[in-house]
Amino acid sequence: MEEKNITRSCIDCHVVKCRRGDDGQGVYPDFCLTTHTDAATKDRAMAALMSEEENRIAVAAAEVEAEGYGRRTRVEEIIQFAHKIGAKKLGIATCAGLLAESRTLAKILRANDFEVVGAACKLGATPKVEIGIPAYCESSGVNMCNPVLQAEIMNDAATDLNLIVGLCVGHDSLFIKHSKALVTSVVTKDRVLGHNPCVALYQADKYYKRLLEKQEWEESRTI
């Protein structure tokens, strides 16, 4: 992408004055969204955050951040967050390849007095070709992942908070879209990097330089 075509936003900022408040140091950049977002958009966001449900969640999230900052693991923070919002029944939407990790997670959650409902991605044992997935995709398994069914099972169980454990890219999106309960992630899938996708970002100027080069991707193919 040519420099002239870039629309600057928060990801291009090195000042981050919005983190410090009005401390008299630094200035907001010309493209800063803090100073350039229109009042109506800000008002909509603030009105949502002041509604009873969203405010309860936002306050709980901020308390979890402050109380365990740099000390508590993500699993511990999720447990604390669930307690703060009054969640009693937790759903685990797991990749079938991470069932061992999900069993450990369920054991931890049950030890902390939560009821746990789990649903694996291959639930339903439906062949991929039944919904039009190309036959070449069977190279990674004949049966499809069904994140919508995972979400519906959680909805039927009336879970209070759902946890994603390693769902594939896109499958996690569908699960979030169809889940009636709040969703947060425990594990983000990255088969190459041991489920730590930040490694590619940390090493983008070294071992993963190819990521900084434009790559051609096949949108679809049929074999």
Side-chain angles (χ1 to χ4, degrees):
M1 181 181 293
E2 295 182 8
E3 191 77 8
K4 64 180 181 181
N5 293 327
I6 294 177
T7 299
R8 301 290 180 184
S9 63
C10 294
I11 54 176
D12 303 294
C13 179
H14 294 274
V15 180
V16 201
K17 182 174 172 60
C18 58
R19 293 189 65 178
R20 302 194 305 270
D22 189 16
D23 60 2
Q25 298 180 15
V27 295
Y28 293 112
D30 292 340
F31 56 81
C32 181
L33 297 184
T34 294
T35 56
H36 284 71
T37 300
D38 65 86
T41 301
K42 290 181 179 179
D43 288 345
R44 286 198 306 272
M46 293 305 297
L49 286 170
M50 291 307 296
S51 66
E52 182 176 357
E53 179 66 5
E54 274 77 359
N55 187 260
R56 182 173 67 92
I57 295 166
V59 170
E63 289 176 347
V64 168
E65 178 190 19
E67 293 166 9
Y69 199 92
R71 296 186 299 106
R72 293 191 177 125
T73 65
R74 185 171 183 87
V75 170
E76 290 172 309
E77 288 187 335
I78 288 170
I79 290 170
Q80 185 185 17
F81 177 72
H83 280 307
K84 283 181 177 291
I85 65 172
K88 303 295 184 183
K89 184 183 291 187
L90 307 185
I92 299 177
T94 181
C95 169
L98 279 85
L99 278 170
E101 291 83 352
S102 290
R103 279 192 290 270
T104 300
L105 176 61
K107 184 177 180 180
I108 293 169
L109 296 175
R110 287 166 177 157
N112 283 273
D113 299 324
F114 293 105
E115 182 180 352
V116 181
V117 178
C121 61
K122 299 297 182 180
L123 186 71
T126 305
K128 292 176 178 177
V129 293
E130 285 196 15
I131 66 166
I133 295 173
Y136 79 85
C137 294
E138 292 180 342
S139 62
S140 58
V142 173
N143 288 335
M144 62 177 279
C145 295
N146 198 333
V148 177
L149 182 55
Q150 287 176 289
E152 291 299 337
I153 285 175
M154 303 301 180
N155 295 341
D156 289 347
T159 53
D160 302 310
L161 176 67
N162 290 329
L163 314 179
I164 289 177
V165 178
L167 296 188
C168 297
V169 172
H171 294 153
D172 52 2
S173 303
L174 282 170
F175 179 80
I176 293 168
K177 181 177 182 179
H178 288 271
S179 172
K180 291 182 179 178
L182 284 175
V183 180
T184 191
S185 293
V186 181
V187 178
T188 301
K189 173 171 283 179
D190 190 320
R191 298 178 182 89
V192 174
L193 299 175
H195 309 306
N196 183 4
C198 273
V199 171
L201 307 181
Y202 298 146
Q203 298 293 328
D205 61 341
K206 296 182 180 69
Y207 302 112
Y208 290 95
K209 285 184 178 180
R210 68 176 187 270
L211 296 176
L212 296 173
E213 301 173 358
K214 183 177 180 180
Q215 301 179 47
E216 299 296 329
W217 302 99
E218 294 180 347
E219 293 186 4
S220 64
R221 64 174 178 163
T222 302
I223 295 177

